[in-house]
Amino acid sequence: MSPLPEGPPKGDPLMILYGVGVGPGDPELVTLKALRILREADLLLEPLSAPGRTSVAGSVVRRHLEAPLHPLVFPMSGVPEERDEALKAQLATLAPLLEGVRSVALPVIGDAALYATVGSLFDVWRSTRPDLELRLVPGLSAHSLAACSAGSFLAMGEESFLVAPASAPFDRLTEALSGADAAALYKPSALRERLPELVRATGPWARTVRVHRAGLPEERTVSGPEAILPTEDYLSVLLLWRSPGRTF
């Protein structure tokens, strides 16, 4: 593994933003590369949903490193414009800490390339700093860990497998799920009372499993009819299979 770049040529300094996937929450599932990037970065940020809170990603990092993490709040209002304005204001506040910094790492829960907050941060930051470069470090996705916890393969052979957020428009979810042999539905809490409706409308499903807080000490799994009941747990993943599938 090569170390972080020593730095760009003289001139306008190049800054690299690393989105580092640290897995669903189990500190033992962080990759060696993720830990190396986090150790070598000049500045570490911690994504928070609200001021004063802690994050799963930050908790994982603290199990391995003693370096300070600087909070960065991503408002969960569901309004992109509000989120972006809040990020711009916070980046301006962080400006003194960024003097001479060439690498910044944002640890994110799960995989850095899937529904990751680092994408929003990069878009906002690059609008004021065009020389910013983004690099992603993959991590274990929650649906992979959830399937392992459930004792099932996600898909085998020629089976199609869908990953989708339950926050997507209902008609799009219905269409996408109807054509899948197996699926992982993130944030099923977004559907509220319509979760059972969606599952039944796209069935029949031979097996349904919902894993809450995969990789965390409070992880729990429910299956069958209970798995499609409405939930308020944001950190849950619903797994669906057309056939009983390969279990172990």
Side-chain angles (χ1 to χ4, degrees), residues 98-131:
L98 296 170
E99 291 287 341
V101 166
R102 292 176 174 172
S103 59
V104 177
L106 179 76
V108 296
I109 190 172
D111 180 38
L114 183 65
Y115 307 132
T117 52
V118 70
S120 301
L121 175 60
F122 178 64
D123 289 341
V124 170
W125 207 343
R126 187 172 55 172
S127 69
T128 59
R129 183 154 187 166
D131 65 344

PDB file of all heavy atoms in Angstrom, residues 98-131:
ATOM      1  N   LEU A  98      -7.531  24.416   8.223  1.00  0.00           N
ATOM      2  CA  LEU A  98      -7.178  23.860   6.915  1.00  0.00           C
ATOM      3  C   LEU A  98      -5.929  24.489   6.313  1.00  0.00           C
ATOM      4  O   LEU A  98      -5.492  24.095   5.237  1.00  0.00           O
ATOM      5  CB  LEU A  98      -8.355  24.033   5.944  1.00  0.00           C
ATOM      6  CG  LEU A  98      -9.627  23.274   6.331  1.00  0.00           C
ATOM      7  CD1 LEU A  98     -10.792  23.694   5.446  1.00  0.00           C
ATOM      8  CD2 LEU A  98      -9.405  21.768   6.238  1.00  0.00           C
ATOM      9  N   GLU A  99      -5.329  25.445   7.030  1.00  0.00           N
ATOM     10  CA  GLU A  99      -4.109  26.086   6.550  1.00  0.00           C
ATOM     11  C   GLU A  99      -2.999  25.046   6.418  1.00  0.00           C
ATOM     12  O   GLU A  99      -2.625  24.391   7.380  1.00  0.00           O
ATOM     13  CB  GLU A  99      -3.670  27.182   7.516  1.00  0.00           C
ATOM     14  CG  GLU A  99      -4.585  28.387   7.551  1.00  0.00           C
ATOM     15  CD  GLU A  99      -4.447  29.253   6.301  1.00  0.00           C
ATOM     16  OE1 GLU A  99      -3.421  29.125   5.605  1.00  0.00           O
ATOM     17  OE2 GLU A  99      -5.377  30.037   6.028  1.00  0.00           O
ATOM     18  N   GLY A 100      -2.468  24.880   5.215  1.00  0.00           N
ATOM     19  CA  GLY A 100      -1.383  23.941   4.985  1.00  0.00           C
ATOM     20  C   GLY A 100      -1.790  22.486   4.931  1.00  0.00           C
ATOM     21  O   GLY A 100      -0.949  21.603   4.759  1.00  0.00           O
ATOM     22  N   VAL A 101      -3.087  22.204   5.077  1.00  0.00           N
ATOM     23  CA  VAL A 101      -3.572  20.819   5.070  1.00  0.00           C
ATOM     24  C   VAL A 101      -3.693  20.315   3.630  1.00  0.00           C
ATOM     25  O   VAL A 101      -4.234  21.009   2.771  1.00  0.00           O
ATOM     26  CB  VAL A 101      -4.935  20.722   5.793  1.00  0.00           C
ATOM     27  CG1 VAL A 101      -5.617  19.397   5.507  1.00  0.00           C
ATOM     28  CG2 VAL A 101      -4.745  20.908   7.282  1.00  0.00           C
ATOM     29  N   ARG A 102      -3.179  19.133   3.381  1.00  0.00           N
ATOM     30  CA  ARG A 102      -3.240  18.561   2.040  1.00  0.00           C
ATOM     31  C   ARG A 102      -4.130  17.327   1.960  1.00  0.00           C
ATOM     32  O   ARG A 102      -4.471  16.885   0.864  1.00  0.00           O
ATOM     33  CB  ARG A 102      -1.829  18.212   1.562  1.00  0.00           C
ATOM     34  CG  ARG A 102      -0.972  19.437   1.308  1.00  0.00           C
ATOM     35  CD  ARG A 102       0.427  19.049   0.940  1.00  0.00           C
ATOM     36  NE  ARG A 102       1.219  20.226   0.563  1.00  0.00           N
ATOM     37  CZ  ARG A 102       2.522  20.203   0.342  1.00  0.00           C
ATOM     38  NH1 ARG A 102       3.186  19.069   0.464  1.00  0.00           N
ATOM     39  NH2 ARG A 102       3.170  21.297   0.013  1.00  0.00           N
ATOM     40  N   SER A 103      -4.487  16.765   3.095  1.00  0.00           N
ATOM     41  CA  SER A 103      -5.359  15.584   3.078  1.00  0.00           C
ATOM     42  C   SER A 103      -6.337  15.650   4.237  1.00  0.00           C
ATOM     43  O   SER A 103      -5.960  15.894   5.375  1.00  0.00           O
ATOM     44  CB  SER A 103      -4.540  14.292   3.157  1.00  0.00           C
ATOM     45  OG  SER A 103      -3.760  14.262   4.338  1.00  0.00           O
ATOM     46  N   VAL A 104      -7.606  15.474   3.910  1.00  0.00           N
ATOM     47  CA  VAL A 104      -8.689  15.463   4.895  1.00  0.00           C
ATOM     48  C   VAL A 104      -9.440  14.151   4.721  1.00  0.00           C
ATOM     49  O   VAL A 104      -9.739  13.740   3.592  1.00  0.00           O
ATOM     50  CB  VAL A 104      -9.646  16.647   4.681  1.00  0.00           C
ATOM     51  CG1 VAL A 104     -10.811  16.579   5.669  1.00  0.00           C
ATOM     52  CG2 VAL A 104      -8.908  17.965   4.813  1.00  0.00           C
ATOM     53  N   ALA A 105      -9.745  13.487   5.823  1.00  0.00           N
ATOM     54  CA  ALA A 105     -10.471  12.214   5.745  1.00  0.00           C
ATOM     55  C   ALA A 105     -11.801  12.324   6.486  1.00  0.00           C
ATOM     56  O   ALA A 105     -11.855  12.829   7.613  1.00  0.00           O
ATOM     57  CB  ALA A 105      -9.639  11.078   6.332  1.00  0.00           C
ATOM     58  N   LEU A 106     -12.846  11.873   5.831  1.00  0.00           N
ATOM     59  CA  LEU A 106     -14.170  11.792   6.443  1.00  0.00           C
ATOM     60  C   LEU A 106     -14.557  10.321   6.542  1.00  0.00           C
ATOM     61  O   LEU A 106     -14.861   9.688   5.524  1.00  0.00           O
ATOM     62  CB  LEU A 106     -15.200  12.550   5.612  1.00  0.00           C
ATOM     63  CG  LEU A 106     -16.635  12.512   6.157  1.00  0.00           C
ATOM     64  CD1 LEU A 106     -16.772  13.445   7.357  1.00  0.00           C
ATOM     65  CD2 LEU A 106     -17.655  12.898   5.078  1.00  0.00           C
ATOM     66  N   PRO A 107     -14.552   9.733   7.735  1.00  0.00           N
ATOM     67  CA  PRO A 107     -15.013   8.354   7.864  1.00  0.00           C
ATOM     68  C   PRO A 107     -16.525   8.293   7.694  1.00  0.00           C
ATOM     69  O   PRO A 107     -17.247   9.157   8.213  1.00  0.00           O
ATOM     70  CB  PRO A 107     -14.591   7.965   9.288  1.00  0.00           C
ATOM     71  CG  PRO A 107     -14.552   9.266  10.033  1.00  0.00           C
ATOM     72  CD  PRO A 107     -14.137  10.311   9.029  1.00  0.00           C
ATOM     73  N   VAL A 108     -16.998   7.310   6.976  1.00  0.00           N
ATOM     74  CA  VAL A 108     -18.434   7.170   6.748  1.00  0.00           C
ATOM     75  C   VAL A 108     -18.852   5.742   7.077  1.00  0.00           C
ATOM     76  O   VAL A 108     -18.098   4.787   6.874  1.00  0.00           O
ATOM     77  CB  VAL A 108     -18.836   7.516   5.299  1.00  0.00           C
ATOM     78  CG1 VAL A 108     -18.559   8.981   5.012  1.00  0.00           C
ATOM     79  CG2 VAL A 108     -18.098   6.637   4.294  1.00  0.00           C
ATOM     80  N   ILE A 109     -20.054   5.600   7.568  1.00  0.00           N
ATOM     81  CA  ILE A 109     -20.566   4.285   7.918  1.00  0.00           C
ATOM     82  C   ILE A 109     -20.765   3.452   6.650  1.00  0.00           C
ATOM     83  O   ILE A 109     -21.163   3.968   5.601  1.00  0.00           O
ATOM     84  CB  ILE A 109     -21.880   4.425   8.718  1.00  0.00           C
ATOM     85  CG1 ILE A 109     -22.310   3.079   9.302  1.00  0.00           C
ATOM     86  CG2 ILE A 109     -22.975   5.034   7.870  1.00  0.00           C
ATOM     87  CD1 ILE A 109     -23.480   3.194  10.260  1.00  0.00           C
ATOM     88  N   GLY A 110     -20.457   2.173   6.728  1.00  0.00           N
ATOM     89  CA  GLY A 110     -20.629   1.297   5.573  1.00  0.00           C
ATOM     90  C   GLY A 110     -19.559   1.506   4.531  1.00  0.00           C
ATOM     91  O   GLY A 110     -18.363   1.612   4.837  1.00  0.00           O
ATOM     92  N   ASP A 111     -19.983   1.609   3.275  1.00  0.00           N
ATOM     93  CA  ASP A 111     -19.072   1.753   2.137  1.00  0.00           C
ATOM     94  C   ASP A 111     -19.074   3.196   1.648  1.00  0.00           C
ATOM     95  O   ASP A 111     -20.129   3.827   1.550  1.00  0.00           O
ATOM     96  CB  ASP A 111     -19.513   0.813   1.013  1.00  0.00           C
ATOM     97  CG  ASP A 111     -18.609   0.912  -0.199  1.00  0.00           C
ATOM     98  OD1 ASP A 111     -17.389   1.064  -0.013  1.00  0.00           O
ATOM     99  OD2 ASP A 111     -19.120   0.847  -1.326  1.00  0.00           O
ATOM    100  N   ALA A 112     -17.898   3.695   1.310  1.00  0.00           N
ATOM    101  CA  ALA A 112     -17.767   5.098   0.896  1.00  0.00           C
ATOM    102  C   ALA A 112     -18.418   5.383  -0.450  1.00  0.00           C
ATOM    103  O   ALA A 112     -18.628   6.551  -0.797  1.00  0.00           O
ATOM    104  CB  ALA A 112     -16.288   5.487   0.847  1.00  0.00           C
ATOM    105  N   ALA A 113     -18.729   4.350  -1.216  1.00  0.00           N
ATOM    106  CA  ALA A 113     -19.311   4.554  -2.542  1.00  0.00           C
ATOM    107  C   ALA A 113     -20.821   4.311  -2.578  1.00  0.00           C
ATOM    108  O   ALA A 113     -21.417   4.319  -3.658  1.00  0.00           O
ATOM    109  CB  ALA A 113     -18.626   3.641  -3.559  1.00  0.00           C
ATOM    110  N   LEU A 114     -21.438   4.118  -1.419  1.00  0.00           N
ATOM    111  CA  LEU A 114     -22.862   3.798  -1.386  1.00  0.00           C
ATOM    112  C   LEU A 114     -23.585   4.684  -0.363  1.00  0.00           C
ATOM    113  O   LEU A 114     -23.374   4.546   0.846  1.00  0.00           O
ATOM    114  CB  LEU A 114     -23.072   2.321  -1.036  1.00  0.00           C
ATOM    115  CG  LEU A 114     -24.507   1.814  -1.042  1.00  0.00           C
ATOM    116  CD1 LEU A 114     -25.098   1.864  -2.452  1.00  0.00           C
ATOM    117  CD2 LEU A 114     -24.574   0.379  -0.500  1.00  0.00           C
ATOM    118  N   TYR A 115     -24.445   5.597  -0.858  1.00  0.00           N
ATOM    119  CA  TYR A 115     -25.236   6.476   0.002  1.00  0.00           C
ATOM    120  C   TYR A 115     -24.373   7.178   1.062  1.00  0.00           C
ATOM    121  O   TYR A 115     -24.763   7.286   2.227  1.00  0.00           O
ATOM    122  CB  TYR A 115     -26.354   5.683   0.698  1.00  0.00           C
ATOM    123  CG  TYR A 115     -27.222   4.882  -0.227  1.00  0.00           C
ATOM    124  CD1 TYR A 115     -27.529   3.545   0.041  1.00  0.00           C
ATOM    125  CD2 TYR A 115     -27.738   5.444  -1.393  1.00  0.00           C
ATOM    126  CE1 TYR A 115     -28.336   2.803  -0.816  1.00  0.00           C
ATOM    127  CE2 TYR A 115     -28.543   4.709  -2.254  1.00  0.00           C
ATOM    128  CZ  TYR A 115     -28.830   3.392  -1.954  1.00  0.00           C
ATOM    129  OH  TYR A 115     -29.631   2.658  -2.805  1.00  0.00           O
ATOM    130  N   ALA A 116     -23.206   7.642   0.661  1.00  0.00           N
ATOM    131  CA  ALA A 116     -22.250   8.200   1.622  1.00  0.00           C
ATOM    132  C   ALA A 116     -22.316   9.722   1.660  1.00  0.00           C
ATOM    133  O   ALA A 116     -22.386  10.389   0.621  1.00  0.00           O
ATOM    134  CB  ALA A 116     -20.829   7.748   1.281  1.00  0.00           C
ATOM    135  N   THR A 117     -22.248  10.283   2.860  1.00  0.00           N
ATOM    136  CA  THR A 117     -22.302  11.730   3.046  1.00  0.00           C
ATOM    137  C   THR A 117     -21.124  12.438   2.398  1.00  0.00           C
ATOM    138  O   THR A 117     -21.217  13.644   2.107  1.00  0.00           O
ATOM    139  CB  THR A 117     -22.324  12.073   4.545  1.00  0.00           C
ATOM    140  OG1 THR A 117     -21.237  11.399   5.197  1.00  0.00           O
ATOM    141  CG2 THR A 117     -23.623  11.640   5.179  1.00  0.00           C
ATOM    142  N   VAL A 118     -20.042  11.731   2.158  1.00  0.00           N
ATOM    143  CA  VAL A 118     -18.868  12.387   1.571  1.00  0.00           C
ATOM    144  C   VAL A 118     -19.176  12.941   0.179  1.00  0.00           C
ATOM    145  O   VAL A 118     -18.555  13.917  -0.263  1.00  0.00           O
ATOM    146  CB  VAL A 118     -17.660  11.425   1.519  1.00  0.00           C
ATOM    147  CG1 VAL A 118     -17.869  10.319   0.475  1.00  0.00           C
ATOM    148  CG2 VAL A 118     -16.365  12.176   1.249  1.00  0.00           C
ATOM    149  N   GLY A 119     -20.133  12.370  -0.520  1.00  0.00           N
ATOM    150  CA  GLY A 119     -20.511  12.879  -1.835  1.00  0.00           C
ATOM    151  C   GLY A 119     -21.077  14.285  -1.756  1.00  0.00           C
ATOM    152  O   GLY A 119     -20.738  15.167  -2.560  1.00  0.00           O
ATOM    153  N   SER A 120     -21.935  14.518  -0.772  1.00  0.00           N
ATOM    154  CA  SER A 120     -22.517  15.851  -0.577  1.00  0.00           C
ATOM    155  C   SER A 120     -21.438  16.849  -0.166  1.00  0.00           C
ATOM    156  O   SER A 120     -21.406  17.989  -0.657  1.00  0.00           O
ATOM    157  CB  SER A 120     -23.604  15.806   0.495  1.00  0.00           C
ATOM    158  OG  SER A 120     -24.631  14.898   0.147  1.00  0.00           O
ATOM    159  N   LEU A 121     -20.556  16.420   0.725  1.00  0.00           N
ATOM    160  CA  LEU A 121     -19.486  17.309   1.176  1.00  0.00           C
ATOM    161  C   LEU A 121     -18.576  17.700   0.019  1.00  0.00           C
ATOM    162  O   LEU A 121     -18.208  18.871  -0.134  1.00  0.00           O
ATOM    163  CB  LEU A 121     -18.677  16.626   2.280  1.00  0.00           C
ATOM    164  CG  LEU A 121     -17.442  17.392   2.763  1.00  0.00           C
ATOM    165  CD1 LEU A 121     -17.829  18.762   3.322  1.00  0.00           C
ATOM    166  CD2 LEU A 121     -16.683  16.572   3.801  1.00  0.00           C
ATOM    167  N   PHE A 122     -18.221  16.748  -0.808  1.00  0.00           N
ATOM    168  CA  PHE A 122     -17.337  17.040  -1.939  1.00  0.00           C
ATOM    169  C   PHE A 122     -17.963  18.047  -2.893  1.00  0.00           C
ATOM    170  O   PHE A 122     -17.303  18.995  -3.345  1.00  0.00           O
ATOM    171  CB  PHE A 122     -16.998  15.746  -2.681  1.00  0.00           C
ATOM    172  CG  PHE A 122     -16.135  15.956  -3.894  1.00  0.00           C
ATOM    173  CD1 PHE A 122     -14.840  16.456  -3.779  1.00  0.00           C
ATOM    174  CD2 PHE A 122     -16.621  15.665  -5.158  1.00  0.00           C
ATOM    175  CE1 PHE A 122     -14.052  16.661  -4.900  1.00  0.00           C
ATOM    176  CE2 PHE A 122     -15.840  15.868  -6.284  1.00  0.00           C
ATOM    177  CZ  PHE A 122     -14.547  16.367  -6.158  1.00  0.00           C
ATOM    178  N   ASP A 123     -19.223  17.864  -3.217  1.00  0.00           N
ATOM    179  CA  ASP A 123     -19.895  18.786  -4.142  1.00  0.00           C
ATOM    180  C   ASP A 123     -19.895  20.218  -3.606  1.00  0.00           C
ATOM    181  O   ASP A 123     -19.645  21.171  -4.345  1.00  0.00           O
ATOM    182  CB  ASP A 123     -21.331  18.324  -4.398  1.00  0.00           C
ATOM    183  CG  ASP A 123     -21.406  17.064  -5.239  1.00  0.00           C
ATOM    184  OD1 ASP A 123     -20.413  16.739  -5.919  1.00  0.00           O
ATOM    185  OD2 ASP A 123     -22.458  16.396  -5.204  1.00  0.00           O
ATOM    186  N   VAL A 124     -20.190  20.365  -2.317  1.00  0.00           N
ATOM    187  CA  VAL A 124     -20.240  21.695  -1.711  1.00  0.00           C
ATOM    188  C   VAL A 124     -18.842  22.302  -1.643  1.00  0.00           C
ATOM    189  O   VAL A 124     -18.629  23.469  -2.000  1.00  0.00           O
ATOM    190  CB  VAL A 124     -20.864  21.622  -0.308  1.00  0.00           C
ATOM    191  CG1 VAL A 124     -20.694  22.945   0.432  1.00  0.00           C
ATOM    192  CG2 VAL A 124     -22.328  21.255  -0.409  1.00  0.00           C
ATOM    193  N   TRP A 125     -17.882  21.523  -1.188  1.00  0.00           N
ATOM    194  CA  TRP A 125     -16.524  22.019  -0.984  1.00  0.00           C
ATOM    195  C   TRP A 125     -15.871  22.395  -2.313  1.00  0.00           C
ATOM    196  O   TRP A 125     -15.185  23.405  -2.417  1.00  0.00           O
ATOM    197  CB  TRP A 125     -15.699  20.974  -0.264  1.00  0.00           C
ATOM    198  CG  TRP A 125     -14.570  21.515   0.545  1.00  0.00           C
ATOM    199  CD1 TRP A 125     -14.014  22.761   0.463  1.00  0.00           C
ATOM    200  CD2 TRP A 125     -13.875  20.830   1.583  1.00  0.00           C
ATOM    201  NE1 TRP A 125     -12.994  22.892   1.376  1.00  0.00           N
ATOM    202  CE2 TRP A 125     -12.895  21.720   2.077  1.00  0.00           C
ATOM    203  CE3 TRP A 125     -13.983  19.551   2.138  1.00  0.00           C
ATOM    204  CZ2 TRP A 125     -12.014  21.361   3.112  1.00  0.00           C
ATOM    205  CZ3 TRP A 125     -13.110  19.196   3.152  1.00  0.00           C
ATOM    206  CH2 TRP A 125     -12.140  20.091   3.640  1.00  0.00           C
ATOM    207  N   ARG A 126     -16.090  21.583  -3.321  1.00  0.00           N
ATOM    208  CA  ARG A 126     -15.454  21.842  -4.617  1.00  0.00           C
ATOM    209  C   ARG A 126     -15.992  23.119  -5.259  1.00  0.00           C
ATOM    210  O   ARG A 126     -15.314  23.737  -6.086  1.00  0.00           O
ATOM    211  CB  ARG A 126     -15.660  20.658  -5.562  1.00  0.00           C
ATOM    212  CG  ARG A 126     -14.878  20.771  -6.868  1.00  0.00           C
ATOM    213  CD  ARG A 126     -14.957  19.522  -7.687  1.00  0.00           C
ATOM    214  NE  ARG A 126     -16.324  19.121  -7.967  1.00  0.00           N
ATOM    215  CZ  ARG A 126     -16.660  18.139  -8.801  1.00  0.00           C
ATOM    216  NH1 ARG A 126     -15.709  17.451  -9.431  1.00  0.00           N
ATOM    217  NH2 ARG A 126     -17.923  17.832  -9.001  1.00  0.00           N
ATOM    218  N   SER A 127     -17.208  23.530  -4.895  1.00  0.00           N
ATOM    219  CA  SER A 127     -17.759  24.762  -5.465  1.00  0.00           C
ATOM    220  C   SER A 127     -16.966  25.986  -5.033  1.00  0.00           C
ATOM    221  O   SER A 127     -16.981  27.023  -5.707  1.00  0.00           O
ATOM    222  CB  SER A 127     -19.227  24.918  -5.056  1.00  0.00           C
ATOM    223  OG  SER A 127     -19.341  25.185  -3.659  1.00  0.00           O
ATOM    224  N   THR A 128     -16.269  25.896  -3.904  1.00  0.00           N
ATOM    225  CA  THR A 128     -15.447  27.007  -3.432  1.00  0.00           C
ATOM    226  C   THR A 128     -13.958  26.697  -3.535  1.00  0.00           C
ATOM    227  O   THR A 128     -13.131  27.596  -3.386  1.00  0.00           O
ATOM    228  CB  THR A 128     -15.776  27.340  -1.964  1.00  0.00           C
ATOM    229  OG1 THR A 128     -15.544  26.185  -1.141  1.00  0.00           O
ATOM    230  CG2 THR A 128     -17.237  27.762  -1.840  1.00  0.00           C
ATOM    231  N   ARG A 129     -13.645  25.424  -3.784  1.00  0.00           N
ATOM    232  CA  ARG A 129     -12.243  25.026  -3.908  1.00  0.00           C
ATOM    233  C   ARG A 129     -12.105  24.064  -5.080  1.00  0.00           C
ATOM    234  O   ARG A 129     -12.127  22.842  -4.915  1.00  0.00           O
ATOM    235  CB  ARG A 129     -11.766  24.382  -2.618  1.00  0.00           C
ATOM    236  CG  ARG A 129     -10.299  24.008  -2.667  1.00  0.00           C
ATOM    237  CD  ARG A 129      -9.652  23.961  -1.317  1.00  0.00           C
ATOM    238  NE  ARG A 129      -8.220  23.772  -1.466  1.00  0.00           N
ATOM    239  CZ  ARG A 129      -7.332  23.951  -0.499  1.00  0.00           C
ATOM    240  NH1 ARG A 129      -7.733  24.343   0.680  1.00  0.00           N
ATOM    241  NH2 ARG A 129      -6.058  23.759  -0.709  1.00  0.00           N
ATOM    242  N   PRO A 130     -11.960  24.588  -6.295  1.00  0.00           N
ATOM    243  CA  PRO A 130     -11.947  23.748  -7.494  1.00  0.00           C
ATOM    244  C   PRO A 130     -10.791  22.756  -7.556  1.00  0.00           C
ATOM    245  O   PRO A 130     -10.868  21.771  -8.293  1.00  0.00           O
ATOM    246  CB  PRO A 130     -11.843  24.771  -8.638  1.00  0.00           C
ATOM    247  CG  PRO A 130     -12.351  26.047  -8.058  1.00  0.00           C
ATOM    248  CD  PRO A 130     -11.947  26.021  -6.620  1.00  0.00           C
ATOM    249  N   ASP A 131      -9.718  23.002  -6.795  1.00  0.00           N
ATOM    250  CA  ASP A 131      -8.573  22.090  -6.837  1.00  0.00           C
ATOM    251  C   ASP A 131      -8.762  20.857  -5.951  1.00  0.00           C
ATOM    252  O   ASP A 131      -7.895  19.991  -5.881  1.00  0.00           O
ATOM    253  CB  ASP A 131      -7.290  22.820  -6.427  1.00  0.00           C
ATOM    254  CG  ASP A 131      -7.315  23.296  -4.977  1.00  0.00           C
ATOM    255  OD1 ASP A 131      -8.407  23.337  -4.375  1.00  0.00           O
ATOM    256  OD2 ASP A 131      -6.244  23.635  -4.450  1.00  0.00           O
TER     257      ASP A 131
END
